[in-house]
Amino acid sequence: MNDLRVEVVDGEAALEQWRYVHNVIVPPAALSSAEVRQRAGRNRLENAYVGEVLVGCSTVRPPAADGAVTVIVRVLPEFRRRGYGAALYDHVLGQARALGAGAVETCVSAVNEDGLRFARARGFTEVERYVLDGGTAEWVDLRLTPVPV
């Protein structure tokens, strides 16, 4: 998608835009502004735009002890099925490769059928389903090995 622009989250306005997309896509795990600031300190957070319109966001977590890099792509529902998710995924996959990922992981809410279908179509396989302590939402961890070149 030539019209998709991805920018690193920098500043309060960008943090709030990232937070907005995250909270729309995963309401059971809604984050406060303080929590997003904390995540921005340890992960790469980016917003995706078409022109000046916010269409999605992404998270890339640094490699875990086993070399796996976690990537999460979120596209607002009204912008899905236009190729933005695929373009944003390709972008974060490139970041995972640059970090030397031995595997790529992602996490999707079990009720997000679009997200699960998207991940599986790209070769991710389910590793685990769980409910966080004190929560009711079911989460699905998926893994992609080897990392596509």
Side-chain angles (χ1 to χ4, degrees):
M1 305 276 1
N2 292 337
D3 55 346
L4 187 71
R5 178 172 48 88
V6 181
E7 293 184 4
V8 173
V9 169
D10 184 25
E12 281 302 310
L15 281 167
E16 284 304 312
Q17 288 181 328
W18 186 96
R19 178 176 173 252
Y20 169 77
V21 175
H22 175 277
N23 290 351
V24 165
I25 305 300
V26 286
L31 298 172
S32 69
S33 296
E35 290 169 316
V36 173
R37 273 188 231 96
Q38 183 181 43
R39 285 185 185 210
R42 64 179 189 264
N43 302 318
R44 182 179 180 93
L45 307 182
E46 295 180 323
N47 288 329
Y49 305 88
V50 174
E52 296 305 311
V53 178
L54 178 68
V55 300
C57 73
S58 65
T59 302
V60 176
R61 294 181 190 149
D66 67 355
V69 173
T70 298
V71 300
I72 302 171
V73 169
R74 301 169 199 88
V75 175
L76 292 167
E78 62 269 31
F79 296 104
R80 291 181 183 160
R81 293 182 175 71
R82 299 185 196 183
Y84 301 132
L88 191 52
Y89 169 72
D90 288 344
H91 174 77
V92 297
L93 188 59
Q95 292 176 4
R97 279 191 215 102
L99 290 169
V104 176
E105 296 179 336
T106 196
C107 179
V108 181
S109 169
V111 298
N112 182 351
E113 294 177 14
D114 285 342
L116 289 171
R117 201 170 18 257
F118 183 91
R120 288 182 179 128
R122 279 147 187 85
F124 283 82
T125 57
E126 186 174 323
V127 174
E128 179 181 16
R129 285 183 181 247
Y130 55 93
V131 175
L132 296 172
D133 289 341
T136 57
E138 184 177 40
W139 301 95
V140 182
D141 284 349
L142 301 111
R143 188 173 178 101
L144 178 66
T145 307
V147 178
V149 288

